[in-house]
Amino acid sequence: MAADGGAATLSPAGISNSRLDENIENKVKESHRIDSLNLLIFLILLTMTVLTIWLFKHRRLRFVHETGLGILYGLIVGVIIRYTSTTEQKLWQNFTLPEESPFNFSHPPDNIHLEVSLFSDVANNTQLITQEYLYSFKGLVYNAESTEIEDKATFDPEIFFNVLLPPIIFHAGYSMKRRHFFRNFGAIVTFAFLGTAVSCMIVGGILYGFTRLMVTYSSLWKQWGLTNFGLTDCLFFGALISATDPVTILAIFHDLNVDVDLYALVFGESVLNDAVAIVLAGAVEKYSDVRATGISDAVDYKAVLESLGNFLGIFCGAFAIGSFMGCITALLTKYTQIRDYPLLETTLFFLMSYSTFLTAESLSLTGIVAVLFCGICQAHYTYNNLSQESKVRTKQLFELLNFLAENFVFIYIGVAIFTFNRHRWDPGFIFAALLAIIVGRGLNVYPLSFLLNLGRKNKIPMNFQHMMMFSGLRGAIAFALAIRNTLTPARELMFTTTLLIVILTVILCGGFTTQMLQWLRIRVGVEDESEAQNFQAVRSAINKQKRYQTMSDAQSNGASNQGGDTGDAIATASGQSNLNMTTSPTDAAPPPMRIQESEKAWLVMKWYKFDQKFMKPLLTHARPPLTETLPACCGRFAMFLTTEQQLAQAEPGRSDDSDEDMIIDENELTYGADNNSEILDGETGRKGTLEME
């Protein structure tokens, strides 16, 4: 919107039209050069990070993670840019809005139309001409002497939210091990929703008490204009700083192959926690906007209810959009023959996934939630419809984008500590914030774990709780929420504090993760997903089954080994170890064994059954087809939705999607039931059977 008070006018004398064109061209070239240099710096940093990661993996060094390396490299480059850049200083011209202008300090104009008058010499005929230029609002002026490369190296929140963030969040949903996620679904939702709310309240409450002391006794806060740092500001900071990092700790866990139950708890809580923190921060801002009393800290219950409704509406709306777009993509890939053209198929998959984020954002919802659940739906449904080439392409594509984006973000975090011009350092507030997040994390993890264990058969052990407490790193989401608005002294203080907390937690906590896992004696080195299932009863039963052999096998074994070895070396199914199958004549084959039923989420089990009967046959080529699951009255409709590929398939078995079964039904974990894993004697061809789902 242009200023209604009239356009500003500048009248330099004696400037020719050609000189003006030359100056503009030079400005464009210089800006392009600085942009190229800025991008080159970050590409060099990414290259150094990649090579350092390779060196660390090659040497098996784990004292610092790749995200910590990105921050350290960013800090080094930030120092270099801050103190060695010699680009030409920017030129400034100060203007003052007229008194009759409708704009003021709290409501500046979005755009300014600048009229520049100049004299043009056309065939020795001097003429006065006027040109108009458009200048857009960028924010408050903090350091007019900063160089252009410092300004361009500053993190742009819109680039993060619209370009870097979507592939990170989508990859989290697309690569999710849904079997373990949904097995711990109740605990994950409790930590993500209730835990984030508890952390927000605890952090906000502690900082509110601290700010009351500072407003009363600190002359520096009065000088900075922080006397209006109220309860809503503290709660907003509590919401944004409660967003734990879904990148750093999960990457460390993945590299070390930690226990899958711990991985699922930390992964699920961190991913959903980020989405909840973003929506919760928006709800706090909504409360601040609709509250009837200015900066008073009196609670407006009407505003609280409206903010709560806004929170639920945004979250549910974004969830619906993400699920809907994932289902639409599944239908397109199922009922078209686009799989015959893998390049087009991959392109459609990418565009539909990315448009989910933009659709939610354009509807004033949160794209984080939408793209997360879109990724889950794409993995559960669309992935099964893709051609083999597209399956490989999509997984590798989003893995690459996730790797580049997350490292780019953490490099930006390191650079911003020196190049960002809106810092406001207060050691007391930083220390209080660190103390608050530790207390908030502790009152989140331990009490909720205690309550969850009252109803769980698969308890959350104390060493898992300690590791979850330690895993509350702050990262990219908290940083992006803090930098999105730094126009007031209170927001500047929040941003600087958030930046330092992110750097400290990523470098320190990330660096000591391996030592903490060892100290807490948490299982690592799980190479196979089936081995990673933390069912002690299953593993003990398998080991017992391997030691049994029938009477006839024992006699045959003894006859074939007269004068030789007492047993045959039998290769296991994995081909990694040998099993000495020697038994006495009195050994008999054990009866079929059934594993005791473990914990199940009732709601998820109901959805699982509905999904297998109706959703999977509708959205994929899975069996049983709808012609068998829908009522007879829907026969024609079911036949219309059933593809020839579904009808031509054999009876349903395990899908290529390794996580097809969202819930592990322990009734299927039986011996002597469905699937047989055969162990063969390499010499005699005898067959021992290990029957396990």
Side-chain angles (χ1 to χ4, degrees), residues 315-515:
F315 197 93
C316 295
F319 168 79
I321 288 177
S323 302
F324 175 77
M325 294 295 286
C327 293
I328 290 296
T329 310
L331 290 173
L332 288 175
T333 53
K334 176 183 177 180
Y335 293 106
T336 65
Q337 298 299 322
I338 197 170
R339 62 176 293 141
D340 295 336
Y341 306 92
L343 178 60
L344 299 180
E345 186 181 32
T346 305
T347 303
L348 175 67
F349 184 94
F350 176 83
L351 294 177
M352 293 294 291
S353 302
Y354 185 68
S355 63
T356 301
F357 176 86
L358 299 179
T359 300
E361 291 291 329
S362 63
L363 294 177
S364 299
L365 302 173
T366 171
I368 302 296
V369 178
V371 79
L372 171 64
F373 285 99
C374 177
I376 295 175
C377 289
Q378 299 282 41
H380 190 57
Y381 298 119
T382 310
Y383 180 82
N384 298 295
N385 298 335
L386 300 179
S387 62
Q388 190 61 37
E389 185 175 349
S390 294
K391 288 180 180 180
V392 175
R393 277 183 177 176
T394 54
K395 284 198 170 184
Q396 292 180 346
L397 171 64
F398 284 103
E399 185 178 7
L400 173 63
L401 293 177
N402 170 72
F403 176 82
L404 292 176
E406 69 184 35
N407 283 281
F408 196 83
V409 168
F410 282 100
I411 290 173
Y412 250 132
I413 290 175
V415 171
I417 199 75
F418 291 102
T419 61
F420 195 76
N421 294 319
R422 303 172 191 174
H423 288 303
R424 200 169 292 270
W425 300 93
D426 185 344
F429 187 84
I430 294 172
F431 177 79
L434 283 169
L435 177 63
I437 64 174
I438 293 173
V439 174
R441 184 68 179 172
L443 294 178
N444 169 2
V445 173
Y446 295 113
L448 293 182
S449 297
F450 173 77
L451 295 176
L452 287 168
N453 283 340
L454 295 178
R456 284 173 62 100
K457 295 181 180 179
N458 183 23
K459 308 295 184 183
I460 302 175
M462 189 56 66
N463 60 344
F464 278 21
Q465 297 179 36
H466 294 329
M467 195 65 222
M468 292 179 66
M469 172 71 186
F470 184 80
S471 300
L473 286 72
R474 270 55 178 179
I477 300 297
F479 175 74
L481 286 173
I483 201 176
R484 209 168 192 182
N485 181 3
T486 56
L487 296 180
T488 64
R491 292 300 179 91
E492 294 167 6
L493 183 61
M494 293 181 199
F495 169 72
T496 303
T497 304
T498 302
L499 187 65
L500 195 60
I501 289 174
V502 169
I503 293 176
L504 289 177
T505 56
V506 169
I507 293 179
L508 296 181
C509 295
F512 287 101
T513 299
T514 304
Q515 291 78 3

Side-chain angles (χ1 to χ4, degrees), residues 636-673:
R636 291 187 177 181
F637 179 71
M639 182 59 69
F640 175 76
L641 296 176
T642 302
T643 62
E644 296 181 358
Q645 183 175 343
Q646 284 177 284
L647 296 176
Q649 283 182 357
E651 289 301 317
R654 289 292 181 191
S655 171
D656 291 337
D657 183 2
S658 61
D659 282 328
E660 177 186 10
D661 291 335
M662 298 188 300
I663 291 295
I664 298 178
D665 188 349
E666 269 63 49
N667 288 330
E668 296 177 358
L669 291 171
T670 59
Y671 297 87

Side-chain angles (χ1 to χ4, degrees), residues 100-114:
E100 63 273 11
S101 173
F103 304 104
N104 52 42
F105 176 80
S106 59
H107 183 54
D110 294 334
N111 297 308
I112 292 179
H113 291 178
L114 179 65

Side-chain angles (χ1 to χ4, degrees), residues 41-42 44-53 55-56 64-81 407 410-418 507:
I41 289 173
F42 284 100
I44 292 175
L45 289 177
L46 282 172
T47 304
M48 293 174 59
T49 302
V50 169
L51 293 176
T52 310
I53 292 171
L55 179 63
F56 278 31
V64 63
H65 189 257
E66 59 200 49
T67 51
L69 287 173
I71 290 179
L72 292 175
Y73 285 146
L75 289 171
I76 295 173
V77 172
V79 171
I80 296 174
I81 293 176
N407 283 281
F410 282 100
I411 290 173
Y412 250 132
I413 290 175
V415 171
I417 199 75
F418 291 102
I507 293 179

